[in-house]
């Protein structure tokens, strides 16, 4: 979403690229849904798919009503802190081409940021509460995206670079996830045993990972916001660095699992390693050489896999690994721009050189400032919003509903085999 | 498929858009297959996937042989009622670019129209009969698509507007579905109980819905038939109105289910609500403001959910909700153009204003005429064709085969657990 | 990948096409994974998905390190036998647009060639051995792709035509598959019964087939390597001939199954028939008239279905039908160019006419030479590499692990129901 400089020259070829990319990005909703559905226990596999639909329904509506306005609104009142204008997005015929393309593309990012949190809250959150969260989370997302990407955004003006949204999408989503886990507490009985509950359907989880993998290519390549001028060259570089990152990440995850898990190839490691690598390269994708992508992905995967173990040690229950993958790896992603980034002569994606390219600590400093800002903002905002939902609607389902599972309780579907025997419910409910 | 005016200027950029959109539309076959497969009982989940493949195999062949000829054939004999020429579609090198692009795109629509009916006939139709139907149904589809979209089509000449095919695809498909249900009768024992049999795999059904959701973007955006001139602006507006429609539809479905279903979130409501909304916006997509899309989608979803309950009341067995979603919502879709439509200065998509845009009742009248025509045509034609198949091949499987399931009977696959115990078959077969 | 002539004129529009096509091609990895996962027994369904991820991870890394260099490296030392240069692919800003687009696209082909073999080795191969194979198989693939597609390649210079990669991708992949089956031997107990073990999940297998079907459109249409000049016309023709081929293939498979399988519609026949047809049209797609596509696909399907029966007769255990689909049908695909091919005036895809177009036996002779060359090369190379892996890492899992299944043994996942009872393991292990 290195959108700013390109807006004026946007025309039909660019719009095609943006729209096609947005379609591909929306397929990531299927991927997230399937990954989460395959990872949780079978008694919640349908409910989590519905939550992923809610991201688009409620999150999308909120982004249309006010999210885009605060992110990219172009009235004279828009400023360094937020955009203003274009609430309930609409446009005249003359302008609608680029307004609608940009809105549609940015909305695909906004709904992705919310999707991330659905995994963190899995298996113990009320659907009504999650729907309210989808609306409110747009408030958490839209200001950071203004700071990072809008021409008037204060981070953007300082030279902050974040091509595919490591900060506004993944770091904000990851921090909200962590806050949600802390407020919700662990699933009932999670820490009675050390190892994670078995995946409901590892095959579905892996298929979801595949869908995310290819969807990420749309995510990172579409973020050049077009193909005219030098943008197609940046898109091609994004494609390559994204795929080399996934290679580095997947291989590190396989080796880590083999070494630490008694020569087994852990499915969670593979999934979180590849996704952590993809998050890791998201910030710099259009600027990274293939070998840089490989290294950045390898580090991202390491962070993700070690982070997953850390969460267990810290007794924070993260059913699908949201925080390590999106929260921790996005910090790496943002800092990696400060290390490997360089001045971009094609489209001005970056105006400064990173640490290893002779630019000293300026860019790394700006990126660090961005990181600290996003973490602070997202943790405060999500704390307020989630506590507010908890006090009103209530975030967590009852113990009985948690034990029976959301599929039966909230949707009336699911085979009786999935539900625990009555005596277990009774015993646990004491 | 607002093709007519654009044909002459079609060139490489437009072809790219059309071909890319057609690829995305073909993924809807996966979506329909999975949605239907997850909705029916497990003993028929494989068979329904095969039926969805048959749509492309037999329906595609028929469309190549004669469907395109009757829809868009360009010989001097083509007239207001039908095209003629280009049977067994082929083209010289000089002309093949646009002939093949258009044919490929239109074929993706033709096979979709047939796919709709596969759900209506699920769990009780012989595969051979369905294969014959795929060929013959092309006859039902191709004339309406001529009337609506071809330069010489009589409805097109009157000013009928139907951007994404609400009439030829969804209304025709929906009416054929209803006719098939009436001729086939309900599944054995369906009305012995009030509530629908449980979905075989709600997760697969939801994944299918996701696939259709994103595929619909290709469907509606590709229907601008290119990106040159003002077409990219219309495509961008289509994307936004399609997604706002789905948001309105999904939210209405969630609320309806919560209110009427004892605070449960019914999966069928969600699926049929979102799909009904998408059908609802199909006719007007390129012309609708985002807020209009939202309203149109909300109404579509309401029609779809209430329609589903009506079908139960009327004791018409519609296993996956084909008629409410495609039949009823497409009537709303066509009329919505007459209400919200407006003169399009970019590409002449509409030459008249709708009721709310000061155009009076003319456009609404033409749209109503289209609706009545499509319903009459599709019901008469499908009655003749389905009765013909019933008298020769036979539409319905034997009771024993229905009870055992098509997966075992027609394909020799499926676990024995899925089949009912022998005594049940005996008892039922009396 | 009719790349050669087009390289110089490549620009942004072409790059968009190539990148979009490559995204679509990568979705084929999901398709292959799901098809194989649904076909094998449930105790190996996760493991085969991991193997499909390994194709991209290890095969992609190898292609980046040396595969592209040997295929398309452009140093002065590159020659008729191999390219040289651009190891560890990277590029300057001025050149990176086309280098990265081409590399990304070609890598999607390289990883597909390896994916094919994963099915052949299913249910009895060590994951570590397969990972090593992914790296080494790049060596088998990259030289044939140089001969067929690079400007300097000796087959290319002779006039060899292979638009979508029937030779380098499918024939090489198919022959490696056969070699792997012969070296590995059959699954334990496979030939104790005549009929194939039941598919673990026919629904997943069919969904995988659907994904491959649409992905193939990206494969064949993207192989025009752009849309400028006459390339968009060739892409449109590719789309149509690819879909007519699948229609011909699917219908032949349905009829064959109906006639020979006691009026049952065999799922394997349908899948292998459609895929065999798609392989069959891969070589000629951009040059074939729609009716030629139909015939070529029908023959491909026949070859594939009869070939599958032959493999059973020959007692070669091919769990997912790799050799008939990819090996046998690709021979047909390459020869079909020599029969139906013609001089291409648009982009010089072919410089000679085929047998039926009055060109005599020259083109057919060149295509036959290509076939013989690919078979010889792939069988010798894969024999050496697979034997090397067998002697060092060991290709085959232990009998106990094979009986328990790779999901539990290598990944620690899978329900206990999937594993055979201990007494069976004991008995078999004697």
């Amino acid at each position: 979403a290195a959108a700013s400089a390109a807006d004026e020259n946007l025309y039909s070829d660019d719009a095609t690229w943006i729209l096609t990319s947005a379609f591909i990005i929306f397929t990531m909703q299927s991927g997230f849904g399937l990954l989460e559905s395959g990872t949780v226990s079978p008694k919640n596999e349908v409910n989590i798919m519905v939550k992923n639909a809610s991201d688009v329904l409620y999150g999308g509506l909120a982004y249309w009503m006010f999210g885009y306005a605060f992110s990219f609104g172009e009235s004279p009142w828009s400023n360094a802190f937020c955009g203003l204008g274009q609430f309930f997005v609409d446009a005249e015929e003359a302008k609608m081409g680029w307004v609608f393309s940009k809105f549609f593309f940015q909305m695909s990012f906004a709904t992705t940021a919310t999707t991330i949190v659905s995994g963190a809250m899995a298996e113990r959150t009320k659907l009504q509460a999650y729907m309210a969260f989808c609306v409110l989370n747009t408030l958490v997302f839209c200001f950071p995206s203004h700071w990072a990407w809008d021409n008037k955004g204060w981070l953007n003006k300082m030279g902050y670079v974040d091509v595919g949204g490591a900060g506004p999408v993944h770091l904000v989503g990851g921090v909200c996830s962590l806050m949600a886990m802390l407020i919700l507490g662990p699933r009932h009985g999670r820490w009675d045993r050390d190892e994670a509950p078995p995946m409901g359907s590892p095959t579905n989880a892996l298929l979801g990972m595949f869908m995310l993998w290819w969807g990420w290519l749309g995510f990172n390549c579409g973020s050049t916001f077009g193909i005219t001028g030098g943008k197609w060259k940046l898109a091609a570089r994004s494609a390559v660095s994204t795929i080399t990152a996934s290679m580095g990440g997947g291989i590190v995850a396989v080796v880590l699992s083999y070494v630490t898990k008694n020569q087994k190839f852990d499915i969670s490691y593979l999934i979180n390693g590849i996704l952590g690598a993809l998050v890791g390269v998201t910030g710099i994708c259009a600027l990274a050489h293939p070998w840089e992508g490989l290294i950045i992905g390898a580090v991202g995967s390491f962070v993700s896999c070690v982070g997953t173990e850390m969460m267990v040690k810290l007794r924070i229950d993260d059913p699908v690994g949201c925080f390590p993958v999106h929260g921790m790896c996005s910090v790496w992603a943002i800092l990696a721009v400060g290390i490997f980034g360089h001045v971009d002569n094609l489209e001005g994606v970056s105006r400064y050189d990173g640490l290893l390219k002779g630019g000293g600590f300026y860019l790394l400093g700006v990126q660090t400032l961005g990181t600290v800002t996003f973490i602070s903002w997202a943790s405060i905002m999500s704390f307020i919003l989630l506590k507010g939902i908890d006090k009103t609607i209530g975030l967590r389902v009852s113990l009985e509903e948690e034990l029976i599972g959301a599929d039966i309780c909230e949707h009336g579907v699911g085979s009786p085999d999935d539900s625990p025997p009555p005596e277990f419910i009774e015993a646990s409910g004491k």
Side-chain angles (χ1 to χ4, degrees), chain A:
Chain A
S4 30
D7 282 5
E8 297 309 313
N9 305 316
L10 199 72
Y11 64 96
S12 70
D13 273 5
D14 287 348
T16 315
W17 187 243
I18 293 168
L19 290 172
T20 306
S21 299
F23 296 157
I24 296 173
I25 294 170
F26 273 112
T27 67
M28 294 176 78
Q29 296 282 348
S30 312
F32 275 112
L34 206 53
L35 169 58
E36 294 174 9
S37 173
T39 302
V40 300
S41 54
K43 67 185 174 185
N44 293 309
E45 68 170 41
V46 175
N47 182 260
I48 198 82
M49 293 290 279
V50 174
K51 283 180 179 149
N52 276 274
S54 301
D55 299 326
V56 181
L57 299 179
Y58 295 90
L61 185 70
Y63 196 73
W64 173 67
M65 292 196 301
F66 58 80
Y68 185 81
F70 290 136
S71 302
F72 300 107
E74 288 188 326
S75 81
W77 290 277
S78 67
N79 53 58
F81 176 74
C82 71
L84 274 173
Q86 294 168 288
F87 290 89
F88 304 92
V89 178
D90 203 351
E92 295 303 299
E93 269 185 9
K95 284 193 164 186
M96 75 180 179
W98 70 264
V99 170
F100 285 152
S101 298
K102 185 174 174 182
F103 165 67
F104 186 67
F105 185 75
Q106 296 293 348
M107 190 180 59
S108 73
F109 277 60
T111 57
T112 304
T114 304
T115 294
I116 291 168
V117 190
S118 66
M121 300 166 86
E123 310 213 65
R124 57 205 192 284
T125 305
K126 276 188 201 167
L127 186 49
Q128 297 98 304
Y130 185 76
M131 287 170 176
F133 172 76
C134 290
V135 174
L136 295 173
N137 191 48
T138 304
L139 281 176
V140 191
F141 167 79
C142 63
F143 295 94
S145 70
H146 177 80
W147 308 335
W149 290 326
D150 194 77
N151 279 330
K152 293 191 177 167
W154 65 273
L155 272 169
N156 190 357
K157 279 183 185 286
M158 290 181 73
Y160 175 81
V161 176
D162 190 348
V163 178
V169 176
H170 296 283
L171 184 49
V172 167
V175 170
C176 292
S177 294
L178 181 63
M179 194 56 70
M181 292 170 220
L182 292 174
I183 292 176
L184 275 167
R187 287 167 291 177
H188 179 79
R190 171 66 186 91
W191 301 121
D192 299 350
R193 49 177 177 180
D194 257 349
E195 59 185 21
M199 288 183 168
S201 170
T203 303
N204 275 5
L206 283 165
L207 181 61
M209 178 199 76
F210 274 116
M211 289 178 170
L212 289 173
W213 202 344
W214 326 135
W216 225 289
L217 293 165
F219 203 86
N220 282 359
C221 298
S223 290
T224 59
F225 227 66
I227 55 158
T228 56
K231 292 195 282 288
W232 69 281
K233 297 181 181 180
L234 295 169
R237 187 155 61 186
S238 286
V240 172
S241 67
T242 302
I243 205 87
T244 56
S246 69
M247 282 155 22
I251 293 171
V252 162
V254 165
V255 171
L256 265 181
S257 172
Y258 189 79
V259 170
T260 68
K261 298 257 174 181
N262 200 19
Q263 308 194 346
K264 288 247 189 299
F265 299 97
D266 189 83
I267 302 298
S268 300
Y269 266 53
L270 183 66
I271 292 175
N272 290 343
I274 289 175
L275 297 185
L278 288 166
V279 171
V281 81
T282 292
I284 200 177
C285 54
L287 298 175
H289 288 273
W291 64 269
E292 291 172 334
L294 191 78
I295 291 171
I296 291 169
V299 173
S301 172
F302 185 83
V303 169
S304 172
C305 292
V306 171
T308 303
E309 299 297 340
M310 264 178 54
M311 299 293 281
V312 175
K313 288 273 184 302
L314 293 170
R315 290 286 186 259
I316 302 172
D317 185 18
D318 188 356
V320 304
C322 289
F323 185 67
V325 168
H326 297 283
M328 296 184 190
C329 292
S330 61
V331 172
W332 165 237
I334 298 170
L335 299 183
V337 181
I339 298 168
F340 295 98
H342 58 85
V343 174
D344 174 46
N345 301 312
L346 290 170
E347 294 284 331
V349 171
S350 176
R351 302 194 302 276
Y352 300 97
D353 280 320
L355 188 62
L356 295 182
K357 305 297 167 71
F361 284 90
Y362 179 77
L363 185 56
L364 187 57
V366 172
Q367 300 295 110
T368 307
L369 178 63
T371 305
V372 173
T373 307
F374 295 137
I375 293 175
S376 313
W377 167 265
S379 49
I380 293 168
M381 286 294 287
S382 62
F383 179 81
I384 296 170
L385 297 176
L386 288 165
K387 275 290 178 190
I389 295 172
D390 199 22
K391 296 294 175 204
T392 50
I393 306 176
L395 270 179
R396 184 146 184 161
V397 298
S398 72
L399 179 60
E400 194 187 340
E401 287 175 323
E402 186 180 340
L403 290 168
I404 295 173
D407 288 3
I408 288 182
C409 293
E410 307 219 75
H411 310 290
V413 298
S415 89
D417 299 338
D418 300 335
S419 62
E423 62 272 18
F424 175 52
I425 295 175
E426 239 177 297
S428 312
K430 271 177 201 167

